[in-house]
Amino acid sequence: MRRRDFMIAVSAAASWPFAARAQQTPMPVIGFLNSAWPAPWAPRVAAFKIGLGQVGYVEGQNVAIEYRWAEGNDDRLAELARDLAARGVAVIAATGGGRSARAAKRATANIPIVFTAGIDPVASGLVATLNRPGGNVTGISLLSSELTAKRLEILHDLVPTAENIAVLVNPGTAVAEFDAASLPVAANRLGVRLNVLKASSERELDRVFASLAQQRPDALLVSSSPLFESRREQLVALAARQAVPAIFDTRYYSEAGGLASYGPDYAIAYREAGAYVGRILRGARPADLPVVQLSKIELVLNAKAAKALGLTIPPSLMVRADEVIE
């Protein structure tokens, strides 16, 4: 081989790895949109990543995730969703409630969206039908808005002498609208009075904390809201300090010391969402992925909190409980 031909061959071989790398498919990017704060949502984000891993995707290895947190300011969701759409992410995981899902849907009609929300996805216009969502949206329906009346019944079983029950809601949300229709019916059936307290911001929530200390209700029901969950330790501590039996919508409150919780298993929900996102990255179309209706609802009781309140948990609830925290 002539020296000139040899040098051309060497040069081509040396440049091949760089050319190959240049031709590799870029790492896909997931947009993770949420209405709350990162810290309280860490367990759910971990579950989401487990779901991704089940389909073969690991953050930092073969997929990247761009996180956008509204930090309790739902007015920012539209801007954050548009930002993710403008960046051209491969999929948007719209989590933390119906407002995230609606903001993502308004931001793009082309980028696939996987939601986790406690609202009726058909009635709210997110999808056409549960089995055939159509369009670019599918996800996990948590049904959490339909469980508030049941929480009131459980709270009444825990505190049968309670007559005045405070209900903390985040107004303007789909969950609050559903509660407004279902709770009075349940209250009439149980023979209890409801005192509805409203908070849609941290400042308003602080005012509610102060009013609870003055009102001294017989019991407290905390409705579903990312805002409330971001302050779950304060809510649990307030209820304990005021000796008010309280029920919440997620096990995270009970694990923090709350008396009881009744609601969806969010770990399962976010694993399912992660798996759906992974399937879409592998080529599945949202229109062909049925909306998952989460059927796993868990009752978690905190025996230590009950003892501190001087309550005896009825055997009927002990038998029904998925977990009793000692």
Side-chain angles (χ1 to χ4, degrees):
M1 179 183 292
R2 290 182 300 177
R3 183 176 185 279
R4 179 174 177 274
D5 294 336
F6 175 77
M7 293 302 295
I8 292 173
V10 170
S11 175
S15 64
W16 178 84
F18 299 99
R21 283 196 293 271
Q23 294 173 2
Q24 287 178 354
T25 303
M27 184 181 294
V29 179
I30 299 166
F32 191 96
L33 178 67
N34 192 282
S35 58
W37 289 257
W41 242 251
R44 293 178 177 138
V45 173
F48 178 81
K49 292 179 182 179
I50 290 172
L52 276 175
Q54 291 172 345
V55 193
Y57 288 96
V58 179
E59 183 181 16
Q61 294 186 15
N62 58 355
V63 71
I65 303 178
E66 286 276 346
Y67 297 93
R68 297 292 183 274
W69 302 94
E71 298 183 341
N73 184 357
D74 286 351
D75 292 338
R76 294 189 60 214
L77 285 170
E79 173 193 348
L80 296 175
R82 288 194 299 267
D83 177 57
L84 289 173
R87 289 174 178 268
V89 297
V91 188
I92 295 177
T95 66
R99 289 186 175 183
S100 292
R102 287 192 289 266
K105 184 173 182 178
R106 286 193 293 267
T108 176
N110 301 313
I111 297 173
I113 297 167
V114 175
F115 66 81
T116 61
I119 60 174
D120 184 328
V122 177
S124 63
L126 289 177
V127 298
T129 67
L130 296 177
N131 289 332
R132 300 286 293 182
N136 64 321
V137 181
T138 187
I140 317 299
S141 177
L142 302 175
L143 304 177
S144 60
S145 62
E146 301 177 16
L147 303 175
T148 311
K150 188 62 179 178
R151 291 187 195 106
L152 184 62
E153 294 176 9
I154 294 171
L155 185 58
H156 186 261
D157 289 341
L158 286 165
V159 196
T161 59
E163 297 179 353
N164 178 30
I165 297 178
V167 180
L168 177 59
V169 301
N170 187 340
T173 65
V175 172
E177 293 172 5
F178 196 95
D179 291 349
S182 63
L183 278 178
V185 176
N188 287 335
R189 185 173 64 251
L190 297 170
V192 299
R193 297 188 307 275
L194 300 181
N195 179 21
V196 178
L197 306 173
K198 300 177 180 180
S200 58
S201 67
E202 286 195 290
R203 180 177 298 177
E204 291 177 357
L205 193 54
D206 288 333
R207 286 201 292 267
V208 167
F209 288 168
S211 67
L212 275 174
Q214 296 174 353
Q215 294 177 21
R216 306 281 296 182
D218 298 325
L220 169 66
L221 186 154
V222 177
S223 184
S224 300
S225 170
L227 170 64
F228 301 158
E229 191 168 338
S230 70
R231 304 280 291 275
R232 62 176 176 260
E233 292 185 357
Q234 287 176 278
L235 277 166
V236 167
L238 175 68
R241 189 164 57 248
Q242 301 297 329
V244 178
I247 189 167
F248 307 91
D249 68 315
T250 79
R251 67 162 36 246
Y252 304 121
Y253 289 96
S254 295
E255 291 172 349
L259 173 62
S261 63
Y262 182 73
D265 187 331
Y266 284 91
I268 293 177
Y270 276 71
R271 282 201 302 270
E272 293 280 0
Y276 256 25
V277 168
R279 289 175 62 180
I280 290 171
L281 290 176
R282 292 198 175 281
R285 298 192 316 146
D288 299 330
L289 294 176
V291 172
V292 176
Q293 291 185 285
L294 198 67
S295 59
K296 172 61 174 172
I297 307 299
E298 56 182 1
L299 171 62
V300 180
L301 304 172
N302 191 310
K304 184 177 180 181
K307 183 178 180 180
L309 291 165
L311 297 176
T312 299
I313 299 176
S316 59
L317 286 182
M318 292 289 284
V319 171
R320 290 169 51 195
D322 294 273
E323 182 178 350
V324 178
I325 299 174
E326 300 292 345

